[in-house]
């Protein structure tokens, strides 16, 4: 096999896979390049909690041997990836970026970890999350803040900030994420990469440390829509260990043949486009113009209950979160960071009736979205109301989930992908929201947009 070109650090998975299968690129040298890049850039980003260098090299050697023998497993075979440090990895510590689990080593893999391993991926290591996934800045008081590759004065978003930073910086080609209020889509937006939160039940959560059982989703962060589709297909499927999963084929990606003629995109202007920054608004209007140019029809839709969604979601979130941490918050409160401890203590005081009423009311929000989506293909919205906030701007970080949390409440599939930059050079992402289990539609629409723009080809100078 040939030595890889250093420029391939930013190559998409689907292109690399063809070259690996054809034995034009060595998985070992690809892994070595990623390890070298991580060693160079991680001191600036603090994305990794644990690096698994020896494991990565062993898996890369195994991949190369299998491919040379003609035993090619598929598009992730020999591809370096990272796992969010909520994902259980057998024999490798899983800290949740917390003091409480700083030395926890699982005795089994998460279902998705096992699937990605079986696909032949190469594990570079475990990357930072906001402590127990309870925030959008990925600023850990225990492991230090993870920083944004586009500008290290800014947050990478959260809670899957380590995956967002590692993928955006060209260290890993894919990172796993979990999404309770936007934790895949927010770091995708702050770091200018692609992230998809699938429909609730599409991907197993078994072995992913929970934040909120009824709002949690697992999914991938990548540098292209097609790569997100490849990784989601591998991660998807029924799992007897997760009773929320459904037995459906992998979603794939719908082909539109370069034109979106006949596609209808809905704009819910009375919530998603309120109180957003000028940079985000300008990028979204430019994206609408591009979609029209590609043949799509833009229509306005109404979501009458949308302004209640955040309150409903927060009641559910605080209730379930405090239940998960009930023992630790009672016996080890000093071991939590101040922001997470505040959330947990607030949840303890939430009346059971408030939680139950919120679970009842969520169905009204779900029906709103289903009604709005009944005559269109997808909703088009901003992912976040602003670009990545500066590190330490706690209030701005709190606002990052305002536009993502509603689809955790509804369980609808949501794709976050680049659509522009601010004058300061920070990425802006848009969000495509689809009908239940129609990931193929939003991925297909997103892919056409991506192929007709160049946002995904731009990378941070770090």
């Amino acid at each position: 096999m040939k030595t890889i070109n250093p420029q391939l650090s930013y190559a998409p998975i689907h292109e690399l896979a063809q070259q690996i299968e054809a034995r034009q690129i060595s998985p070992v040298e690809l892994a070595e390049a990623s390890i070298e890049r991580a060693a160079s850039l991680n001191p600036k980003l603090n994305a990794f909690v644990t690096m698994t260098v020896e494991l990565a090299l062993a898996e890369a050697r195994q991949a190369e041997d299998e491919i040379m023998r003609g035993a090619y497993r598929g598009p992730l075979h020999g591809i370096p990836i990272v796992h969010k440090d909520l994902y259980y990895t057998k024999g490798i510590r899983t800290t949740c970026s917390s003091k409480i689990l700083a030395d926890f080593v699982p005795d089994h893999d998460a279902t998705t970890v096992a699937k990605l391993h079986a696909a032949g991926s190469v594990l570079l290591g475990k990357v930072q999350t906001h402590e127990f996934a309870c925030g959008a800045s990925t600023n850990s008081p225990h492991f230090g803040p993870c920083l944004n590759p586009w500008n290290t004065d800014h947050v990478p978003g959260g809670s899957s900030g380590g995956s967002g930073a590692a993928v955006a910086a060209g260290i890993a080609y894919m990172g796993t994420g979990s999404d309770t209020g936007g934790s895949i889509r927010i770091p995708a937006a702050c770091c200018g990469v692609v992230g998809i939160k699938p429909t609730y039940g599409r991907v197993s959560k078994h072995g992913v440390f929970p934040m909120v059982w009824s709002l949690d989703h697992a999914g991938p962060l990548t540098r292209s829509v097609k790569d997100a589709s490849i990784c989601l297909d591998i991660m998807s499927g029924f799992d007897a260990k997760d009773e929320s999963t459904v037995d459906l084929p992998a979603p794939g990606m719908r082909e539109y043949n370069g034109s979106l003629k006949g596609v209808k995109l809905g704009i819910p202007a009375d919530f998603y486009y309120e109180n957003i920054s000028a940079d985000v608004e300008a990028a979204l209007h430019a994206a609408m113009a591009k979609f029209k140019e590609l043949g799509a029809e833009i229509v306005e839709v109404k979501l009458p209950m949308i302004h209640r969604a955040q309150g409903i979601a927060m009641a559910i979130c605080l209730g379930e979160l405090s239940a998960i941490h009930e023992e630790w918050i009672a016996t080890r409160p000093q071991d939590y960071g101040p922001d997470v401890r505040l959330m947990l203590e607030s949840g303890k005081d939430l009346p059971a009736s408030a939680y139950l009423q919120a679970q009842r009311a969520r169905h009204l929000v779900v029906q709103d979205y289903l009604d709005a989506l009944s005559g269109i293909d997808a909703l088009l919205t901003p992912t976040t109301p602003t670009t990545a906030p500066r590190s330490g701007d706690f209030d701005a970080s709190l606002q990052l989930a305002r536009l993502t949390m509603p689809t955790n409440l509804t369980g609808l599939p949501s794709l976050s992908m680049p659509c522009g930059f601010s004058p300061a050079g920070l990425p802006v992402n848009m969000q495509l929201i689809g009908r239940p289990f129609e990931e193929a539609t939003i991925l297909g629409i997103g892919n056409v947009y991506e192929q007709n723009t160049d946002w995904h080809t731009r990378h941070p100078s770090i």
Side-chain angles (χ1 to χ4, degrees):
M1 293 189 175
K2 297 178 182 178
T3 302
I4 68 162
N5 185 321
Q7 294 180 343
L8 290 178
S9 293
Y10 282 112
I13 292 170
H14 61 273
E15 290 182 6
L16 279 177
Q18 294 176 348
Q19 296 174 71
I20 289 172
E21 184 181 15
R23 306 178 188 179
Q24 296 169 341
I25 292 177
S26 159
V28 173
E29 295 191 301
L30 192 63
E32 289 173 342
S34 291
I35 291 165
E36 182 179 347
R37 193 167 177 84
S40 171
L41 297 182
N42 193 58
K44 303 174 185 178
L45 300 175
N46 194 32
F48 282 85
V49 175
T50 302
M51 286 197 66
T52 54
V53 173
E54 293 305 316
L55 175 64
L57 292 172
E59 291 181 337
R61 285 191 289 268
Q62 179 181 345
E64 182 164 308
D65 179 65
E66 290 172 346
I67 293 164
M68 293 296 286
R69 291 188 285 107
Y72 181 65
R73 300 193 199 183
L76 274 190
H77 204 175
I79 299 293
I81 71 168
V82 292
H83 287 309
K84 183 177 183 177
D85 208 25
L86 294 181
Y87 280 68
Y88 284 23
T89 42
K90 184 177 180 179
I92 303 168
R93 68 174 182 159
T94 300
T95 71
C96 300
S97 289
S98 70
K99 184 176 181 180
I100 287 173
L101 293 179
D103 299 313
F104 171 57
V105 178
D107 61 4
H108 65 280
D109 284 332
T111 296
T112 43
V113 168
K115 286 186 172 187
L116 291 162
H117 176 70
S121 62
V122 171
L123 181 60
L124 297 173
K126 308 292 289 295
V127 289
Q128 286 246 49
T129 171
H130 201 103
E131 184 182 12
F132 287 113
C134 296
S137 67
T138 314
N139 186 349
S140 169
H142 314 295
F143 294 91
C146 181
L147 304 175
N148 192 315
W150 291 93
N151 185 326
T152 53
D153 291 332
H154 293 250
V155 302
S159 61
S160 310
S163 287
V167 171
I171 295 170
Y173 295 89
M174 174 266 189
T176 51
S178 63
D179 195 310
T180 305
S183 291
I184 291 170
R185 293 160 291 157
I186 292 167
C190 290
C191 294
V193 297
V194 176
I196 184 164
K197 180 196 80 64
T199 309
Y200 188 80
R202 171 70 79 181
V203 175
S204 173
K205 304 182 297 295
H206 172 72
V208 182
F209 193 93
M211 180 183 173
V212 179
W213 295 293
S214 67
L215 301 180
D216 289 349
H217 301 66
L221 292 94
T222 62
R223 286 193 294 271
S224 79
V225 172
K226 190 170 184 179
D227 289 355
S229 176
I230 288 168
C231 296
L232 181 60
D233 282 354
I234 292 168
M235 297 174 74
S236 295
F238 174 75
D239 179 13
K241 296 176 181 177
D242 180 354
E243 62 184 13
S244 73
T245 55
V246 295
D247 190 7
L248 289 173
M253 184 174 73
R254 183 172 173 181
E255 294 294 337
Y256 285 94
N257 298 317
S259 171
L260 295 178
K261 188 174 182 180
V263 169
K264 284 188 177 181
L265 298 176
I267 306 296
D270 55 353
F271 173 77
Y272 283 99
Y273 291 83
E274 295 174 347
N275 301 316
I276 61 175
S277 71
D279 298 339
V280 171
E281 184 175 21
L284 264 292
H285 281 289
M288 288 182 211
K290 174 58 71 173
F291 277 117
K292 289 180 181 178
E293 180 186 314
L294 292 168
E297 180 183 354
I298 305 292
V299 298
E300 188 168 321
V301 298
K302 299 293 183 183
L303 295 168
M305 289 288 294
I306 186 61
H307 288 92
R308 302 192 179 201
Q310 189 165 11
I312 294 168
M314 283 306 300
I316 294 170
C317 181
L318 291 175
E320 295 188 18
L321 180 65
S322 63
I324 290 165
H325 291 265
E326 183 176 17
E327 180 180 348
W328 290 332
I329 193 62
T331 60
R332 302 178 61 178
Q334 72 283 357
D335 289 338
Y336 288 96
D339 59 333
V340 177
R341 181 175 175 177
L342 178 62
M343 286 181 69
L344 295 173
E345 290 177 341
S346 300
K348 285 196 303 182
D349 298 329
L350 184 79
S353 59
Y355 173 79
L356 292 171
Q357 293 287 20
Q359 285 287 17
R360 293 179 64 194
R362 75 187 294 179
H363 298 291
L364 300 175
V365 181
V366 171
Q367 193 57 53
D368 255 11
Y369 274 84
L370 294 178
D371 290 345
L373 285 161
S374 64
I376 61 174
D377 295 278
L379 301 175
L380 172 62
T381 79
T383 302
T384 54
T386 66
T387 55
R390 285 187 170 271
S391 297
D393 191 339
F394 183 70
D395 291 339
S397 293
L398 280 178
Q399 293 301 312
L400 287 174
R402 181 168 64 87
L403 306 182
T404 51
M405 187 173 278
T407 49
N408 292 94
L409 191 66
T410 61
L412 295 173
S414 309
L415 174 69
S416 174
M417 62 178 293
C419 67
F421 285 85
S422 72
L426 292 169
V428 178
N429 271 31
M430 65 184 181
Q431 185 175 210
L432 289 167
I433 301 169
R435 291 185 288 266
F437 299 104
E438 293 193 15
E439 290 88 353
T441 297
I442 57 174
L443 287 163
I445 294 169
N447 185 55
V448 174
Y449 175 87
E450 184 179 83
Q451 296 306 307
N452 286 275
T453 56
D454 70 350
W455 309 118
H456 65 293
T457 68
R458 304 186 188 187
H459 309 299
S461 60
I462 193 170

